[in-house]
Every structure is written in C-alpha cells, then in structure tokens.
Amino acid sequence: MLRIHVSGVDLSRVRMATRPDAMWETILSFHRLRDRRGSTVFGKWRKESRTRLNGEARLLSTVVPPRGYFPDFLTPSQGSSEPFGLDAGMEALRDTPVDRIRAETRLLTGSALLTRRTPSGPALPEALAEGRTEPLGRLISTLRAYHRAAVEPYWPHIRASVEADRAVRGRALLDGGADELLATLPPMIRWRAPVLEADYPVDRELSLDGRGLLLQPSFFCRTTPVVYRDPVLPPVLVYPVTHPGAPAVPEPGPWLGRLVGHTRSAVLRSIDNGCTTSELARRTGVSLASASQHACVLREAGLVRTLRHGSSVLHTLTPLGAALIRGGAPIAVP
C-alpha cells in the first residue's frame, strides 16, 4: 500500500501534467513488452514492436528489471511542471550527477541477472556505477532506438489517450476542486483525506511537505501507479489511463455511423470526455478545419456544446449527444 500524505497546502498545489511524458512512457512500455498480461490492449503493440527491435531489449533489461525498482534517473524530474519531450529528457539524463547514477545503479546489484559480465566487460549497471561517460552514452542511444521502435509510432494514440484522461480530470476539478479531482482517479487509487492511498507492491509512506503533487496519466502504466523511490525528488504520481479496450459504457453499434456518417460518428465519440478542436483533430485523424466543421454541425444539431477559453474552444457532449452514443440509454436527471 502506498500512502501519500496531503496537507491543505499540498491540495492547493495538485496539478495535472499537460501531456504524456516521453521518458515515463518509454520505460513503462518496456515493462509492458515483457508482460504477457493485458493482451487486449497491448497484444498487437507487443507483436509489432518486437519486430522492429534490434537487440535494445537485452541491454535495457540490465537496468530495468521486469518488476520492482528501476533507477529514478531514467525518468528525469527536472521538468515536472512541464513533462519532457524525448530530447529534453535525454539531455537531463545525460546531465545526471555521477554520484546519483552510482547510488541508484548500486540498488540493482542484488540481482545476478542484472550484474553478470558481458563479453565486452562489466554489466551496464556496474559500468554506470564507475562514473564513465561511455556507458551512459550507450544507455541513451539504446533508449532512443527503443523509443523509435516501440513508442514513437504510437505517439498520436498515446497522446490522445492522455488528453482524454485530462479532460475527465479537468471536469472533476472544475466541478469540485482538487478534492473531486483526487476522488475520480482510477479505482486502484483512493482519496481518503488527508491521505491518498494506492495499491502498491510494497508498503510506502510519502509526505509531500507542501510541495504539491503532479498527476501524470500514462498509457503504458498498468495495474498500480508509480512514484519515485527517492522522497526528495519532486512528487509525481504516474497512473494508468482507462483504455478503450475496457470502456465504462457500451460502445455504439454500427448504426451510429450509418445515421450520421462514419467520420462524424468518430468525431462525436471523440468528444465524449471533452476536448479542444486541435485535440479532436488529432484523435480522429482529420484536419483542424474539418474537425471544426464537424463540431459546428454537431453543435447546431444540439449534440455538442462549445465553450471558448482564451484562444481555444472546449467541446463537450450535451445530454442528447451522450444518450446518442450510448445507444439511447436514459439520460440521468438530477
């Protein structure tokens, strides 16, 4: 069990990540690559990704065990207020102090699998602990190659999934503040003020001490959330998004596409949890102008409501639109 102690000051500093974090997705995807569970969501991805890999998994497995601890420096925290893209994350990894690399890689040395020597010399964790630049460069190159093979081709889908989760949490925040936001996190996370509890492989207490908490939704996180082992690092809670493979409501049948057209049906379903026009274009794979036009038609039909926020607009379903994509399910009236 993980218990995160949240003070009143911390509650006021809870915030959502603005987009998926490339480093977290890369490392967590490597866990999913070796995990046989979740075949509905990850099975096809595993099969496709493995055909593109060229030995990267062998090296990465020496620093990212199948389960349990992996070094915190692999997912840099310096950009916690604005999650890193891959290039910035790799630069932060390259700038990790040698003492920190040495301390964190030595936590891996309890496993003979991770520390066995290779024909070219010591295993990667031991080589990193020696503080030389060449092993770190080799690790970064391997991570880049792995990301290109297993993460980059799926990035639009990863980003759309995270944006859909953000829309749900954002609506909760607007409706009930940070309390409501924390209460709507996935079922493995429970808000029992002033403690945020989560299913976790070990017992762990984490005090935020007024630093707040960054909530980072992740496509490749599964079953349990993830936090840094080092309590001094900026607090981040990485948690799994809800995948379309396990929808909370029945998916509309093919009749919806025949009724309003397949593209407009996809647009309507993509608005389900709320989104901006640019997010809608990414989710449905249409141009920005086309997304705007479809949203306009749906709005005129009374299926979508549009609100302007600064230079952006936010589209949400009306009760009629929500009932339509749910196959005419009754509309809940307060």
Side-chain angles (χ1 to χ4, degrees):
M1 178 78 71
L2 170 67
R3 299 175 185 85
I4 302 176
H5 299 272
V6 184
S7 69
V9 173
D10 293 313
L11 195 61
S12 69
R13 295 177 178 174
V14 171
R15 61 202 188 281
M16 287 292 304
T18 58
R19 60 179 184 265
D21 186 298
M23 299 299 286
W24 277 110
E25 297 297 348
T26 299
I27 299 301
L28 292 176
S29 74
F30 188 52
H31 282 283
R32 301 290 76 78
L33 188 74
R34 297 170 292 174
D35 186 354
R36 296 181 180 178
R37 298 171 296 174
S39 58
T40 301
V41 176
F42 301 113
K44 184 173 183 288
W45 165 80
R46 287 190 190 105
K47 183 177 180 180
E48 293 175 351
S49 297
R50 283 170 178 158
T51 63
R52 289 190 290 264
L53 292 173
N54 188 27
E56 293 87 357
R58 183 179 304 173
L59 182 66
L60 290 183
S61 66
T62 65
V63 290
V64 184
R67 61 186 61 86
Y69 172 77
F70 59 85
D72 290 335
F73 67 76
L74 293 175
T75 51
S77 64
Q78 291 93 325
S80 60
S81 60
E82 181 72 18
F84 282 160
L86 184 69
D87 289 340
M90 292 299 180
E91 286 305 309
L93 176 55
R94 191 183 302 277
D95 292 339
T96 307
V98 172
D99 289 347
R100 180 181 170 191
I101 292 177
R102 182 178 295 117
E104 293 185 8
T105 53
R106 281 176 176 169
L107 294 173
L108 296 170
T109 59
S111 170
L113 173 66
L114 299 176
T115 59
R116 65 178 184 270
R117 292 182 65 85
T118 67
S120 58
L124 184 59
E126 292 180 343
L128 288 169
E130 293 173 359
R132 294 184 287 113
T133 58
E134 185 276 330
L136 183 58
R138 183 155 44 103
L139 173 61
I140 290 172
S141 296
T142 302
L143 282 170
R144 282 188 179 277
Y146 173 82
H147 179 91
R148 283 195 299 269
V151 179
E152 187 177 277
Y154 308 93
W155 194 252
H157 183 65
I158 293 168
R159 184 163 184 167
S161 298
V162 169
E163 286 174 347
D165 184 273
R166 274 175 44 82
V168 173
R169 311 305 162 205
R171 185 173 298 177
L173 182 64
L174 290 173
D175 290 344
D179 269 298
E180 183 69 15
L181 168 61
L182 295 178
T184 64
L185 291 174
M188 76 286 295
I189 305 170
R190 298 165 293 278
W191 174 231
R192 295 169 178 165
V195 178
L196 189 63
E197 296 182 349
D199 297 339
Y200 208 65
V202 297
D203 279 334
R204 174 85 187 276
E205 306 283 337
L206 176 60
S207 295
L208 300 181
D209 298 326
R211 296 173 295 170
L213 180 67
L214 175 68
L215 299 174
Q216 176 68 63
S218 168
F219 182 85
F220 286 108
C221 186
R222 183 184 182 276
T223 308
T224 60
V226 185
V227 295
Y228 288 125
R229 183 183 188 278
D230 187 349
V232 176
L233 293 173
V236 179
L237 180 69
V238 183
Y239 66 89
V241 300
T242 299
H243 291 282
V249 296
E251 287 292 320
W255 59 266
L256 182 58
R258 293 195 295 267
L259 179 66
V260 300
H262 294 292
T263 300
R264 198 156 290 160
S265 169
V267 169
L268 187 63
R269 285 184 280 115
S270 295
I271 294 175
D272 190 8
N273 291 318
C275 63
T276 66
T277 304
S278 58
E279 290 169 347
L280 181 60
R282 283 195 295 269
R283 292 179 189 181
T284 55
V286 300
S287 69
L288 191 62
S290 180
S292 179
Q293 181 183 21
H294 284 301
C296 179
V297 172
L298 294 171
R299 181 171 62 253
E300 291 173 349
L303 303 177
V304 169
R305 180 181 294 110
T306 300
L307 298 174
R308 181 164 293 280
H309 179 70
S311 61
S312 300
V313 293
L314 178 67
H315 307 290
T316 60
L317 294 181
T318 65
L320 179 61
L324 183 61
I325 68 169
R326 285 157 178 77
I331 301 171
V333 179

